C-alpha cells in the first residue's frame, strides 16, 4: 500500500472512531438528557454540628479531632431510603446522587480499604449506601454516587490544616517503599472500583479534581476502567477532561452551556445540614431556576441535606413537594422535551417537545395586554394553558408570510383561574415540525 492510501485509511479509521465514540456517548447519555431533575444528597458527619461539609476543616474552623468526634452522633436512626426514593420520584426526579465520601474522607459504606467509614466509626454501624441504591432502583431512579477525589484524612494526601497521623486507620501494603502519591492513587482507584463492584451505579459524580492535574489523578485510566466495568456508566465533568457532561454550580448559567449539562444548587446556602442557615430560596425561585435550566437543555440537581438521623429537614421536604406539584401540573412541558427556542422569540424560558410539534412557553410574569411569540413559520393549530386546559385565542399579526417573514403571534390572556401561582405554561401546537425564522428582518419585496 502506498503512503497516500495508508494516510487515507488512517483518516477513515479515526473518523469512524470519532463517529462511533459520539454515537456511543449519546446512547449512554440518553436517560440523563431526558431526566430534567435529580436530587443531590449531602449526608455526612458535618450534619452533627451543623457546620460546613469538609471545608470547615480546610478553613480551620474546627480541629480535625473535633470534626471526627461528630461521628459519635451520626446515628442514621431514622434513615428511611425507601421514603426518600418515593419522595424523589413523587417530585418528578429521575435520578438521585448520594455523597458516598466527601473531602473529609468519611465513607458512607463499609469500605474494606479504610476504617474511616460509618459502619466502623459511628452508631449507625452499617453500610448506608447499599439501602440507598436498592431503594432508588426499586423506585425507578437512576443511581448516582458522589465521590470526592481528594481525601483530606488519608495519610498520603497533603492537606492545608493540622491533622494527627491517621495512618493507623488504613491498611496499606509496602507502606515504607511505595511513594505516597502512588499509594494514594491506588487507594482511591480501589475505592472507586469497590463502589462500582458493589453497587454498579449509573452515574459517578466526582468532585475536587481541581486539587491535582489529570495526569496526577490518572483520570484517563480511571475513566477507561469505569467503562470497562460498565459500558453505560456516565461521569460528571469533575474528572479533569474525562467527564461526559458539565456541572455548573450555584450560579445559574447566563449563556446556554454547550453539550449535556447539569446545574447543582442548594436550597439554602449550604450543602450539608446547617440549621443556623435559614436563608432558604423561596419555592418560586427554585421553580423558576428549574424552568430556566430545562429551557436551556440542562438538568437541575437539587440538593437536600439530611440530619444525622437521616430525616430530611422540613423546609427542604416542603420545597420538594411544592416543586413536585408544579411539575405534575406541567409535566408535558418538562418530560419528553428538549431545550427551547433560542433567545429572542419569547420573553421567558421555553421547551420543545421531542417531535418538534409543540412549544411550551413558561410565563414568569403575569402577562399584560397580550402574549407575544415571534418568528414561528408554522401554522399554529391551538394554544392552551397547561393545568387548566383553557384554550386561548391567537392571531398572527404583521410579517409577510409569502416572503418568509412570519411576524408575531398575538396570544390572548388566560383567565385568572388558569394562572399558576408560580409559572403558567402555555402549550403551542404547531402544524408540522417547528420551523423558525432567525432573520434580521428585511424589506418585503413583493406586495
Ligand atoms: C463543591 C464543594 C463541595 C460540594 C460540591 C457540590 O465544589 O467542594 O463541598 O459538595 O461542590 O457540587
Amino acid at each position: 500500500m502506498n503512503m497516500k492510501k495508508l494516510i487515507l485509511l488512517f483518516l477513515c479509521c479515526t473518523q469512524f472512531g470519532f463517529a462511533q465514540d459520539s454515537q456511543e456517548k449519546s446512547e449512554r447519555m440518553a436517560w440523563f438528557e431526558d431526566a430534567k431533575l435529580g436530587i443531590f444528597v449531602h449526608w455526612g458527619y458535618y450534619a452533627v454540628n451543623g457546620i460546613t461539609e469538609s471545608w470547615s476543616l480546610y478553613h480551620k474552623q474546627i480541629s480535625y479531632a473535633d470534626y471526627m468526634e461528630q461521628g459519635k452522633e451520626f446515628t442514621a436512626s431514622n434513615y428511611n431510603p425507601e421514603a426518600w426514593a418515593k419522595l424523589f420520584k413523587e417530585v418528578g426526579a429521575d435520578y438521585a446522587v448520594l455523597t458516598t465520601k466527601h473531602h473529609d474522607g468519611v465513607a458512607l459504606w463499609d469500605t474494606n480499604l479504610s476504617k474511616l467509614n460509618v459502619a466502623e466509626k459511628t452508631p449507625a454501624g452499617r453500610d448506608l449506601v447499599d439501602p440507598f441504591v436498592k431503594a432508588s432502583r426499586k423506585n425507578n431512579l437512576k443511581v448516582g454516587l458522589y465521590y470526592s477525589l481528594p481525601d483530606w484524612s488519608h495519610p498520603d494526601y497533603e492537606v492545608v490544616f493540622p491533622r494527627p497521623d491517621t495512618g493507623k486507620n488504613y491498611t496499606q501494603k509496602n507502606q515504607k517503599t511505595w511513594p505516597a502519591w502512588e499509594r494514594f492513587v491506588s487507594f482511591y482507584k480501589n475505592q472507586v472500583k469497590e463502589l462500582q463492584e458493589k453497587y454498579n451505579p449509573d452515574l459517578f459524580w466526582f468532585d475536587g479534581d481541581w486539587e491535582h492535574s489529570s495526569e496526577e489523578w490518572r483520570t484517563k485510566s480511571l475513566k477507561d476502567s469505569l467503562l470497562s466495568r460498565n459500558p453505560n456508566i456516565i461521569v460528571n465533568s469533575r474528572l479533569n477532561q474525562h467527564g461526559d457532561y458539565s456541572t455548573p454550580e450555584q450560579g445559574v448559567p447566563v449563556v446556554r452551556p454547550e453539550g449535556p449539562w447539569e446545574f447543582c444548587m442548594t436550597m439554602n446556602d449550604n450543602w450539608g445540614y446547617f440549621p443556623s442557615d435559614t436563608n432558604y430560596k423561596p419555592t418560586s425561585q427554585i421553580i423558576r431556576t428549574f424552568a430556566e435550566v430545562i429551557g436551556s437543555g440542562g438538568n437541575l440537581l437539587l440538593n437536600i441535606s439530611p440530619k444525622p438521623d437521616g430525616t430530611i429537614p422540613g423546609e427542604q421536604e416542603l420545597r420538594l413537594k411544592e416543586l413536585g406539584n408544579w411539575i405534575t401540573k406541567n409535566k408535558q412541558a418538562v418530560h419528553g422535551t428538549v431545550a427551547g427556542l433560542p433567545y429572542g422569540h419569547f420573553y421567558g424560558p421555553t421547551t420543545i417537545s421531542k417531535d418538534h410539534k409543540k412549544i411550551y412557553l413558561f410565563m414568569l410574569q403575569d402577562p399584560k395586554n397580550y402574549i407575544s411569540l415571534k418568528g414561528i413559520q408554522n401554522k399554529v393549530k391551538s394554544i392552551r394553558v397547561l393545568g387548566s386546559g383553557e384554550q386561548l385565542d391567537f392571531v398572527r399579526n404583521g410579517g409577510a408570510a409569502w416572503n418568509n417573514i412570519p411576524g408575531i403571534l398575538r396570544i390572548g390572556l388566560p383567565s385568572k383561574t388558569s394562572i399558576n401561582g408560580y409559572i403558567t405554561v402555555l402549550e403551542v401546537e404547531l402544524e408540522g415540525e417547528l420551523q423558525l425564522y432567525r432573520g434580521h428582518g428585511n424589506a418585503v419585496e413583493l406586495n
Side-chain angles (χ1 to χ4, degrees):
M1 199 181 298
N2 67 21
M3 202 53 179
K4 246 189 185 166
K5 277 191 180 156
L6 249 169
I7 293 175
L8 216 67
L9 188 70
F10 171 76
L11 284 176
C12 282
C13 287
T14 47
Q15 293 217 336
F16 177 66
F18 283 141
Q20 243 190 351
D21 277 4
S22 58
Q23 188 199 348
E24 173 266 334
K25 182 173 169 187
S26 64
E27 280 165 15
R28 262 189 311 127
M29 296 301 293
W31 73 260
F32 179 85
E33 299 205 58
D34 281 345
K36 314 296 176 198
L37 182 67
I39 306 296
F40 212 171
V41 185
H42 272 72
W43 195 28
Y45 279 16
Y46 38 86
V48 170
N49 289 359
I51 52 173
T52 314
E53 76 295 340
S54 306
W55 289 100
S56 48
L57 281 171
Y58 185 98
H59 295 295
K60 304 187 187 78
Q61 291 154 344
I62 184 167
S63 73
Y64 184 83
D66 287 348
Y67 187 96
M68 290 304 160
E69 270 294 298
Q70 297 179 98
K72 295 197 173 135
E73 287 172 60
F74 190 80
T75 64
S77 54
N78 288 308
Y79 177 38
N80 187 347
E82 180 69 26
W84 285 11
K86 284 214 164 81
L87 172 66
F88 302 166
K89 203 66 210 175
E90 228 175 81
V91 175
D94 273 357
Y95 64 111
V97 181
L98 173 68
T99 47
T100 61
K101 190 180 90 169
H102 206 264
H103 314 327
D104 59 17
V106 181
L108 238 57
W109 79 103
D110 54 350
T111 173
N112 284 326
L113 295 149
S114 139
K115 292 204 163 54
L116 188 54
N117 68 71
V118 293
E120 298 236 9
K121 298 276 187 212
T122 74
R126 63 193 191 281
D127 174 357
L128 301 176
V129 176
D130 186 60
F132 170 86
V133 173
K134 289 195 174 123
S136 301
R137 293 244 154 83
K138 190 171 151 209
N139 287 282
N140 219 358
L141 290 160
K142 296 278 186 194
V143 173
L145 301 184
Y146 167 108
Y147 181 86
S148 164
L149 300 174
D151 182 325
W152 296 342
S153 283
H154 195 281
D156 292 320
Y157 199 89
E158 294 272 310
V159 291
V160 297
F161 51 85
R163 188 184 59 190
D165 177 17
T166 52
K168 56 183 179 304
N169 281 338
Y170 296 85
T171 41
Q172 289 180 340
K173 290 177 262 165
N174 309 326
Q175 182 87 28
K176 288 205 180 65
T177 50
W178 215 12
W181 185 252
E182 292 306 319
R183 261 192 323 254
F184 180 72
V185 169
S186 150
F187 161 75
Y188 104 75
K189 283 192 167 185
N190 281 331
Q191 263 199 336
V192 171
K193 181 169 177 232
E194 188 182 42
L195 280 173
Q196 206 179 7
E197 285 176 346
K198 272 186 158 208
Y199 314 113
N200 192 24
D202 303 290
L203 185 159
F204 258 113
W205 213 103
F206 291 110
D207 199 14
D209 61 346
W210 53 81
E211 291 206 345
H212 287 274
S213 69
S214 178
E215 291 70 31
E216 285 167 330
W217 290 121
R218 320 272 157 77
T219 48
K220 164 91 177 80
S221 77
L222 177 66
K223 179 75 177 291
D224 288 347
S225 52
L226 292 175
L227 280 167
S228 73
R229 289 190 285 264
N230 174 4
N232 297 317
I233 191 100
I234 295 179
V235 174
N236 74 331
S237 60
R238 299 184 192 180
L239 194 61
N240 257 317
Q241 299 153 37
H242 291 287
D244 296 311
Y245 68 89
S246 50
T247 51
E249 163 176 347
Q250 297 290 38
V252 69
V254 176
V255 175
R256 206 178 265 197
E258 271 175 34
W261 63 284
E262 170 201 71
F263 174 61
C264 55
M265 185 178 82
T266 53
M267 291 197 196
N268 52 0
D269 293 330
N270 281 279
W271 294 101
Y273 178 56
F274 208 110
S276 62
D277 173 3
T278 54
N279 192 27
Y280 274 97
K281 296 168 180 68
T283 302
S284 54
Q285 183 181 342
I286 294 171
I287 292 177
R288 188 180 289 215
T289 303
F290 178 61
E292 287 169 348
V293 167
I294 64 170
S296 291
N299 291 345
L300 175 65
L301 184 63
L302 184 59
N303 185 66
I304 59 162
S305 341
K307 298 178 188 179
D309 72 349
T311 49
I312 300 173
E315 299 91 332
Q316 302 187 1
E317 188 168 347
L318 176 73
R319 281 163 177 78
L320 285 182
K321 287 188 169 160
E322 286 172 339
L323 170 64
N325 284 339
W326 182 87
I327 292 179
T328 306
K329 286 199 187 95
N330 295 287
K331 54 183 180 297
Q332 298 92 329
V334 174
H335 296 294
T337 63
V338 294
L341 305 172
Y343 301 113
H345 294 270
F346 177 71
Y347 293 106
T350 59
T351 55
I352 299 169
S353 63
K354 275 191 174 174
D355 64 6
H356 286 215
K357 292 182 175 167
K358 286 177 184 145
I359 309 171
Y360 295 96
L361 311 178
F362 294 69
M363 297 200 296
L364 304 183
Q365 271 93 27
D366 285 351
K368 271 210 170 112
N369 306 317
Y370 64 92
I371 301 154
S372 165
L373 178 61
K374 288 186 257 178
I376 307 297
Q377 303 275 29
N378 310 59
K379 283 198 173 137
V380 170
K381 281 190 183 167
S382 68
I383 301 182
R384 67 180 185 116
V385 185
L386 290 189
S388 78
E390 185 188 2
Q391 295 283 340
L392 300 183
D393 295 333
F394 56 91
V395 59
R396 194 178 287 276
N397 189 266
W402 61 94
N403 229 37
N404 284 332
I405 307 171
I408 70 156
L409 277 175
R410 203 172 63 215
I411 305 168
L413 301 184
S415 61
K416 279 217 170 70
T417 51
S418 281
I419 295 286
N420 186 289
Y422 295 112
I423 300 177
T424 310
V425 181
L426 306 188
E427 180 186 75
V428 179
E429 195 182 349
L430 307 170
E431 259 179 34
E433 286 186 23
L434 174 65
Q435 278 183 290
L436 275 185
Y437 171 74
R438 295 291 296 155
H440 297 267
N442 50 277
V444 178
E445 291 174 2
L446 184 71
N447 265 307

